[in-house]
Amino acid sequence: MPRHLWSRSLIIGATMLALGCGSGMMDGTFATELVSVTPAGGATGVSATPDIVLAFSRSMMPGMEQFVALHQGGVTGLTTSMRCSWSDRQKTLTCRPDAALAPGTRYTVHVGGGMMDADGQSVGMDRYGMKMGGQCATAGMMDGRGDMMGAGWGQANGFYGMMFEFVTS
């Protein structure tokens, strides 16, 4: 183990992130998973009037749309008001911002880690989320933002869902 405290902290932190973010999520133990996100994380040139579409492998519990937020900038940025509706037997959620987004601006879609499917089971996000440019939201990233750290936002493993950043054209 390295002698310097900062080196040890960095190694321990990276190990905890890798283990915690993947714990129980990457091994296929979830019956329902987030399988598609549009726009994908890292997308650029996104329309200023985008449809944000989340697709799940099974039907979701009513009301789970309240655990999807669009932030200007990073996950601690101001939230942008949007309207969301379900289709495809509660498996596809489409959200549209109430006003056009600012051009050339970074936005973050935050999908709460405590979302539940129609059977009341947790939803896996990592398996496909990471492949779509997502990253796990940690408590440190949330910067104490309590409104996005309560029930519906957090998972038992201490993570607060997935984040997908994109930039408008």
Side-chain angles (χ1 to χ4, degrees), residues 78-93:
L78 295 175
T79 55
T80 300
S81 176
M82 58 184 181
R83 297 180 198 280
C84 299
S85 62
W86 290 99
S87 61
D88 189 28
R89 294 175 297 155
Q90 203 87 354
K91 293 188 335 188
T92 302
L93 180 64

Side-chain angles (χ1 to χ4, degrees), residues 5-108:
L5 180 59
W6 64 269
S7 296
R8 281 188 294 209
S9 297
L10 183 61
I11 291 169
I12 291 169
T15 302
M16 288 178 65
L17 179 62
L19 291 175
C21 191
S23 177
M25 291 190 289
M26 298 282 285
D27 61 7
T29 59
F30 289 97
T32 303
E33 297 187 33
L34 174 64
V35 295
S36 176
V37 175
T38 304
T44 58
V46 174
S47 166
T49 56
D51 278 345
I52 296 162
V53 182
L54 308 173
F56 297 88
S57 60
R58 296 179 60 203
S59 297
M60 296 294 290
M61 183 181 287
M64 291 296 104
E65 65 276 5
Q66 68 183 313
F67 302 115
V68 176
L70 178 61
H71 301 271
Q72 186 170 2
V75 74
T76 60
L78 295 175
T79 55
T80 300
S81 176
M82 58 184 181
R83 297 180 198 280
C84 299
S85 62
W86 290 99
S87 61
D88 189 28
R89 294 175 297 155
Q90 203 87 354
K91 293 188 335 188
T92 302
L93 180 64
T94 303
C95 299
R96 181 171 287 162
D98 290 339
L101 303 179
T105 302
R106 180 173 58 107
Y107 286 87
T108 301

Side-chain angles (χ1 to χ4, degrees), residues 97-120:
D98 290 339
L101 303 179
T105 302
R106 180 173 58 107
Y107 286 87
T108 301
V109 176
H110 180 197
V111 183
M115 292 182 87
M116 300 285 185
D117 68 15
D119 295 326

Side-chain angles (χ1 to χ4, degrees), residues 34 109-111 113 125-126 129-130 134-137 160-164:
L34 174 64
V109 176
H110 180 197
V111 183
M125 295 188 192
D126 265 25
M130 298 290 228
Q135 76 179 86
C136 291
Y160 295 91
M162 294 287 289
M163 303 178 304
F164 301 88

